[in-house]
Amino acid sequence: MKLTILGCYSATPRTLGNTTAQVLEINNHMFLIDCGEGTQVQLRRHKVKFNRIKHIFISHLHGDHFFGLAGLISTFRLLTREADLHIYGPKGIKEVITLQMKLADSWTNYKLCFHELSSKESQLIFEDDNVEVYTIPLEHRIYTNGYLFKEKKGDRKLNIDAVEEANIDTAYYRKLKQGFDVKNEDGVLIKNEAVTFPPKKPKSYAFCSDTVYKEDIVPILKNVDVLYHESTFLEAHAHLAPKTKHSTAKEAASIAKQANAGTLILGHYSSRYPDLEVFRTEAKTVFENVKLAEDGKYFNFN
Amino acid sequence: MKLTILGCYSATPRTLGNTTAQVLEINNHMFLIDCGEGTQVQLRRHKVKFNRIKHIFISHLHGDHFFGLAGLISTFRLLTREADLHIYGPKGIKEVITLQMKLADSWTNYKLCFHELSSKESQLIFEDDNVEVYTIPLEHRIYTNGYLFKEKKGDRKLNIDAVEEANIDTAYYRKLKQGFDVKNEDGVLIKNEAVTFPPKKPKSYAFCSDTVYKEDIVPILKNVDVLYHESTFLEAHAHLAPKTKHSTAKEAASIAKQANAGTLILGHYSSRYPDLEVFRTEAKTVFENVKLAEDGKYFNFN
């Protein structure tokens, strides 16, 4: 599981600070999460292959989280993309994107599939053999979802030496990977654990931006491996957080602690703070394992 | 008159190439012309004061000319702008911008005035004491206008020494600036030319992007001081120009020559060409005074 931060600042893009966008590589998927203005340039800068992006998840329709989407869709078209593109986001996202295409008389030559969200409960919105994606209902000034990405539990791995030693027909290998005990060629029942290794522990990643401090999300996040939680403010401006429906670094840390997260990544910093290290310092008073998002930084979690 | 090129490439923004946006300073105005994705960052990079922009002219609704507009409007709001903002552009621009604001529940706290265009004839769309702005109907894949910015003829300048020498009451200075002859304190008629200097020759700038080669615009451009004309293609790809409704460098030069322009600036280059100098070389076979737009470059015309 690899997370690349394309932008992690709030409000407006600046010369040295992009607004929210991230790429999550998880179990053969490459998910784009949020798409602030300039995301397509950040994708190029960090050499993300455009064609590997098949799913885009937009948290909410504030510009710093989605004003790069129309341009990216348009660039995909110019690059003669053929693969379907799935876009998950709040109701309204389809209307605004299609209006822009209509005005430009520029329809995509690939299939654009919108999945509009309006539920206030956590929902399973994507699932395949490898990964599940759930919404995390957040509380912000407009309808907003975070997203929880969960690897599915993979197959058990065959212990090839042990399997051969046990004289099991290859026809049973699939059953073994699925965890079943099987009979060998002599009709003896072989315990699965004796000839297989346990599957790799599935990883999970939760993206929570933008939101006021909201304990209701803790059960959804329980035991998540990596939690990105917005921390727009430091303690000095904690009074602004509830008013603007954002969080402080300490509040993000409190959510991470209650959820028993493995790692907390902070981001969505207000540009009023020149020194990001203070975000980590404040968060660490509540939760130990804190990392700072920075534009262009990537995190490997294996 | 000063022109700053914020972006001059076609199609999509890249790490080292921004899409179309320019700032024209003319007679105390600062006009923003087109607003591709990333324009607000380019404005910051080139230290253009956001508050000085009161009028934005959008040529057409292809993304590489206006996907930065919604973000810029939103950033103006965050910066607590108070001055009115006037936006000129094709019909539809109001709907798409207001839809984005509605979805974000982010209304501007300054007045946003849309001037939607749909005429296929050149029109006077802005006028004050100093400047006039006319549309230049272009021919592209969708409804598109170029813009012609013309300084008005200014007042004559007083020759202070001569005025005092001639013993003229200060009450007549305004009349003198307006070009009238006046009587001095002894009742003698003083010829205007004897005590004033002629006004500075008014400058004009024409912006023509995107368009197929179209001689119909020549009369509108007649004797323009500076003409920016798109040159998406070189001769090697001249066959693509009519198909995509763009122009070659030589075609831009031909328009400049027929219009008797003072200076031609080329831009809107296709990213397939690594060497811009070839654009100038090809254009110069038709028209002598050719300059190349480049991101961040500015031109002073005094």
Side-chain angles (χ1 to χ4, degrees):
Chain A
M1 187 167 81
K2 179 182 171 186
L3 179 71
T4 303
I5 308 294
L6 302 176
C8 64
Y9 289 86
S10 66
T12 70
R14 287 161 192 270
T15 318
L16 296 171
N18 292 277
T19 48
T20 305
Q22 311 185 344
V23 173
L24 178 70
E25 286 181 69
I26 183 170
N27 226 334
N28 294 320
H29 282 287
M30 189 168 257
F31 294 132
L32 178 62
I33 308 167
D34 277 350
C35 191
E37 184 174 349
T39 294
Q40 60 174 308
V41 173
Q42 286 294 84
L43 286 168
R44 284 182 197 272
R45 189 169 282 137
H46 300 295
K47 305 198 187 314
V48 177
K49 291 218 167 63
F50 280 25
N51 269 331
R52 285 203 56 205
I53 297 172
K54 300 199 167 60
H55 303 84
I56 301 177
F57 298 87
I58 302 293
S59 62
H60 65 302
L61 299 183
H62 279 157
D64 54 333
H65 295 257
F66 104 108
F67 277 170
L69 183 59
L72 184 61
I73 288 170
S74 160
T75 293
F76 280 160
R77 183 182 60 78
L78 291 165
L79 298 175
T80 65
R81 178 190 180 101
E82 292 183 356
D84 296 356
L85 180 66
H86 293 267
I87 296 172
Y88 299 79
K91 193 163 160 44
I93 197 166
K94 181 176 178 178
E95 181 186 3
V96 69
I97 294 295
T98 52
L99 176 59
Q100 284 173 90
M101 291 198 295
K102 182 185 137 203
L103 291 171
D105 196 19
S106 297
W107 301 100
T108 60
N109 37 12
Y110 55 91
K111 200 169 161 196
L112 201 52
C113 312
F114 289 95
H115 304 266
E116 293 199 313
L117 308 171
S118 54
S119 171
K120 292 189 173 171
E121 305 294 323
S122 177
Q123 291 179 299
L124 176 66
I125 55 170
F126 172 82
E127 182 177 19
D128 69 1
D129 290 346
N130 302 318
V131 176
E132 289 172 338
V133 184
Y134 295 84
T135 57
I136 307 168
L138 299 177
E139 189 179 330
H140 190 45
R141 299 195 301 278
I142 56 173
Y143 178 74
T144 303
N145 284 297
Y147 295 101
L148 173 65
F149 302 86
K150 293 174 78 166
E151 284 185 331
K152 285 192 175 174
K153 200 169 168 182
D155 285 344
R156 296 185 68 86
K157 308 289 173 203
L158 294 186
N159 178 342
I160 289 297
D161 290 344
V163 169
E164 287 177 357
E165 176 74 28
N167 199 23
I168 299 169
D169 190 285
T170 54
Y172 287 104
Y173 284 8
R174 219 181 107 89
K175 282 272 173 205
L176 283 175
K177 287 181 185 172
Q178 291 168 347
F180 294 100
D181 299 337
V182 299
K183 282 189 178 165
N184 73 359
E185 298 207 23
D186 309 316
V188 179
L189 188 75
I190 307 291
K191 282 280 178 197
N192 191 290
E193 293 77 14
V195 293
T196 65
F197 299 117
K200 195 165 64 85
K201 188 178 168 297
K203 293 278 181 192
S204 57
Y205 172 68
F207 169 85
C208 295
S209 184
D210 300 5
T211 187
V212 75
Y213 175 74
K214 195 188 181 201
E215 290 181 1
D216 306 14
I217 63 176
V218 169
I220 306 169
L221 304 177
K222 207 69 197 173
N223 300 322
V224 70
D225 290 295
V226 183
L227 167 64
Y228 172 93
H229 194 290
E230 74 126 291
S231 59
T232 306
F233 298 111
L234 291 174
E235 281 308 290
H237 300 96
H239 59 288
L240 295 179
K243 198 171 132 187
T244 58
K245 302 272 188 188
H246 284 299
S247 304
T248 65
K250 272 177 89 169
E251 286 172 337
S254 174
I255 297 291
K257 187 181 179 183
Q258 293 171 68
N260 190 37
T263 301
L264 169 65
I265 301 177
L266 298 177
H268 201 265
Y269 317 110
S270 160
S271 62
R272 58 163 63 73
Y273 306 115
D275 178 12
L276 300 186
E277 205 51 53
V278 191
F279 284 89
R280 180 167 15 213
T281 308
E282 293 194 354
K284 278 193 132 184
T285 62
V286 177
F287 181 81
E288 181 55 30
N289 192 10
V290 180
K291 296 185 187 297
L292 297 175
E294 285 180 58
D295 292 8
K297 201 174 186 179
Y298 63 87
F299 301 91
N300 268 314
F301 298 98
N302 290 315
Chain B
M1 188 168 82
K2 178 182 171 186
L3 179 72
T4 303
I5 307 294
L6 302 175
C8 65
Y9 290 86
S10 66
T12 69
R14 287 160 191 271
T15 317
L16 296 171
N18 292 277
T19 49
T20 304
Q22 309 185 346
V23 172
L24 178 71
E25 285 181 69
I26 183 170
N27 228 333
N28 294 321
H29 283 288
M30 191 168 255
F31 295 133
L32 178 62
I33 309 167
D34 278 350
C35 192
E37 183 175 348
T39 294
Q40 60 174 308
V41 174
Q42 286 293 88
L43 286 168
R44 284 182 197 271
R45 188 169 284 138
H46 301 296
K47 305 199 188 310
V48 177
K49 291 217 165 65
F50 281 26
N51 269 331
R52 286 204 55 206
I53 297 171
K54 300 200 165 60
H55 303 84
I56 302 177
F57 298 87
I58 301 292
S59 62
H60 65 303
L61 299 182
H62 278 156
D64 54 334
H65 295 256
F66 103 109
F67 277 171
L69 183 59
L72 184 61
I73 288 170
S74 159
T75 292
F76 280 160
R77 183 183 60 79
L78 291 166
L79 298 176
T80 65
R81 178 191 179 100
E82 290 181 357
D84 295 356
L85 181 66
H86 293 267
I87 296 171
Y88 300 78
K91 194 166 158 41
I93 197 167
K94 182 177 177 178
E95 181 186 2
V96 69
I97 293 296
T98 49
L99 176 60
Q100 284 173 88
M101 290 196 297
K102 183 185 137 202
L103 292 171
D105 196 18
S106 297
W107 302 99
T108 61
N109 38 9
Y110 56 93
K111 199 170 161 195
L112 201 52
C113 312
F114 289 95
H115 305 266
E116 293 200 313
L117 308 171
S118 54
S119 171
K120 293 188 173 173
E121 306 294 325
S122 178
Q123 293 179 296
L124 175 67
I125 55 169
F126 172 83
E127 181 177 19
D128 70 2
D129 289 346
N130 303 319
V131 177
E132 290 173 337
V133 185
Y134 295 85
T135 56
I136 307 168
L138 300 176
E139 188 180 329
H140 190 44
R141 300 195 302 276
I142 55 173
Y143 177 75
T144 303
N145 284 296
Y147 295 100
L148 173 65
F149 304 85
K150 292 175 79 168
E151 283 184 332
K152 285 191 176 176
K153 200 170 166 178
D155 285 344
R156 296 185 67 85
K157 309 286 171 204
L158 294 187
N159 178 341
I160 288 295
D161 290 344
V163 168
E164 288 178 355
E165 177 74 28
N167 198 24
I168 299 169
D169 191 281
T170 55
Y172 289 104
Y173 283 8
R174 217 181 110 90
K175 283 274 175 205
L176 283 175
K177 286 184 187 171
Q178 291 167 348
F180 294 101
D181 300 337
V182 299
K183 284 190 180 162
N184 73 0
E185 300 208 20
D186 309 316
V188 180
L189 188 76
I190 308 291
K191 282 278 180 199
N192 191 289
E193 294 76 14
V195 293
T196 65
F197 300 116
K200 197 166 61 87
K201 188 179 168 293
K203 294 279 181 190
S204 57
Y205 172 68
F207 169 86
C208 295
S209 186
D210 300 5
T211 188
V212 76
Y213 176 74
K214 193 187 182 202
E215 291 181 1
D216 307 14
I217 64 175
V218 169
I220 306 170
L221 305 178
K222 206 70 196 173
N223 300 322
V224 70
D225 290 295
V226 183
L227 167 65
Y228 171 93
H229 194 291
E230 74 126 294
S231 59
T232 307
F233 298 111
L234 293 174
E235 283 306 290
H237 300 97
H239 59 288
L240 294 178
K243 199 170 130 187
T244 59
K245 302 273 188 187
H246 283 300
S247 304
T248 65
K250 273 176 89 167
E251 287 172 337
S254 175
I255 296 291
K257 187 180 180 184
Q258 293 171 70
N260 191 37
T263 301
L264 169 66
I265 301 176
L266 298 176
H268 201 266
Y269 317 110
S270 160
S271 62
R272 57 162 66 71
Y273 306 115
D275 179 12
L276 299 186
E277 206 49 56
V278 191
F279 285 88
R280 176 159 27 206
T281 308
E282 292 194 356
K284 279 195 129 183
T285 62
V286 177
F287 181 81
E288 181 56 28
N289 191 9
V290 180
K291 297 190 185 294
L292 297 176
E294 286 179 57
D295 292 8
K297 202 175 187 177
Y298 64 88
F299 301 91
N300 268 312
F301 298 98
N302 291 315

